[in-house]
Amino acid sequence: MILSDGDIRRRLDGGSLAIEPLADPALQIQPASVDLRLGREFLEFQRTNIPCIHPDSTNEVDEYVTETVVEEDEEFILHPGDFVLGTTVERLAVPDDLIAHVEGRSSLGRLAVVIHATAGIVDPGYRGQVTLELSNLGTAPVALSPGMRISQVVFTELKSPAEEPYGAGRGSKYQDQAGPQASRIGNDHEFGGDQLSGTGTNEEPR
């Protein structure tokens, strides 16, 4: 069951769901979603001389990723073909009986800006800001202003609470993240990392 605006408000008021800071609930809470705002920090992928990116090598990250912080009242220009990591202003705390889906806003989609490549799910038990995978699929640069409503999050109630929610018990890599985070796939079990699989499932935590 997808939560309506009334369901979301009741969850927020009761403390079982947290979205902070929710600056303007009347504006941000939509009929069945919540608009999230764009933060000031971005991770840009640079063209480098390395032959390829090795997912299991954390040492390479500094060679192809640089951080940009946009000053107040300035803009981040997303050029055609660019791929950057951004972040939401808001920090989510998702309870064990909900899953969240992060989607782009239609108005930005009509400008050819997409906000995620694959990371559209926020697992039960997750806490932290949301990293956005921003791409410009169009032919003209688009100016993004920190604080603008960049994405929307939809909450679905699970049939039963997750038995092994996202978090330290699963070795989850991005719990309590602040700002955009580069890939930590090198921590995955198949690459020899310390991420643990759940005791009651064959699914690997992200």
Side-chain angles (χ1 to χ4, degrees):
M1 179 184 72
I2 294 176
L3 300 193
S4 70
D5 50 1
D7 296 326
I8 292 169
R9 290 190 183 96
R10 283 187 286 273
R11 287 272 191 160
L12 292 172
D13 291 342
S16 64
L17 170 67
I19 305 174
E20 298 174 345
L22 194 57
D24 191 341
L27 176 65
Q28 290 180 254
I29 298 177
Q30 300 295 322
S33 64
V34 179
D35 287 343
L36 304 179
R37 296 168 295 154
L38 179 65
R40 298 171 51 217
E41 303 90 359
F42 299 87
L43 294 182
E44 299 185 69
F45 289 73
Q46 306 298 321
R47 293 178 175 85
T48 69
N49 293 323
I50 61 174
C52 64
I53 294 174
H54 297 89
D56 60 340
S57 177
T58 58
N59 295 330
E60 288 182 357
V61 173
D62 291 339
E63 297 184 42
Y64 61 84
V65 174
T66 59
E67 183 176 19
T68 298
V69 179
V70 177
E71 297 300 326
E72 189 174 353
D73 297 326
E74 293 188 1
E75 299 171 327
F76 183 87
I77 306 301
L78 189 65
H79 293 275
D82 274 0
F83 175 80
V84 303
L85 299 180
T87 184
T88 60
V89 171
E90 291 80 10
R91 181 181 187 275
L92 304 183
V94 182
D96 297 350
D97 65 336
L98 294 182
I99 191 168
H101 303 266
V102 180
E103 303 291 349
R105 296 185 64 220
S106 172
S107 295
L108 283 171
R110 298 173 198 215
L111 298 177
V113 174
V114 297
I115 60 94
H116 74 75
T118 62
I121 290 180
V122 181
D123 285 316
Y126 174 78
R127 301 186 309 267
Q129 292 174 308
V130 178
T131 293
L132 304 171
E133 302 162 341
L134 300 164
S135 296
N136 181 349
L137 304 181
T139 58
V142 178
L144 301 178
S145 302
M148 69 184 291
R149 288 176 291 146
I150 188 73
S151 64
Q152 55 187 346
V153 61
V154 177
F155 298 97
T156 301
E157 190 171 49
L158 302 179
K159 185 176 180 180
S160 60
E163 294 180 359
E164 298 177 25
Y166 197 94
R170 293 186 60 88
S172 302
K173 301 189 292 288
Y174 304 107
Q175 188 72 307
D176 294 311
Q177 71 179 10
Q181 299 295 314
S183 175
R184 297 176 182 170
I185 195 171
N187 291 344
D188 281 4
H189 178 74
E190 59 265 42
F191 291 127
D194 55 4
Q195 186 184 47
L196 304 175
S197 60
T199 57
T201 178
N202 291 325
E203 180 183 356
E204 285 288 340
R206 296 188 302 156

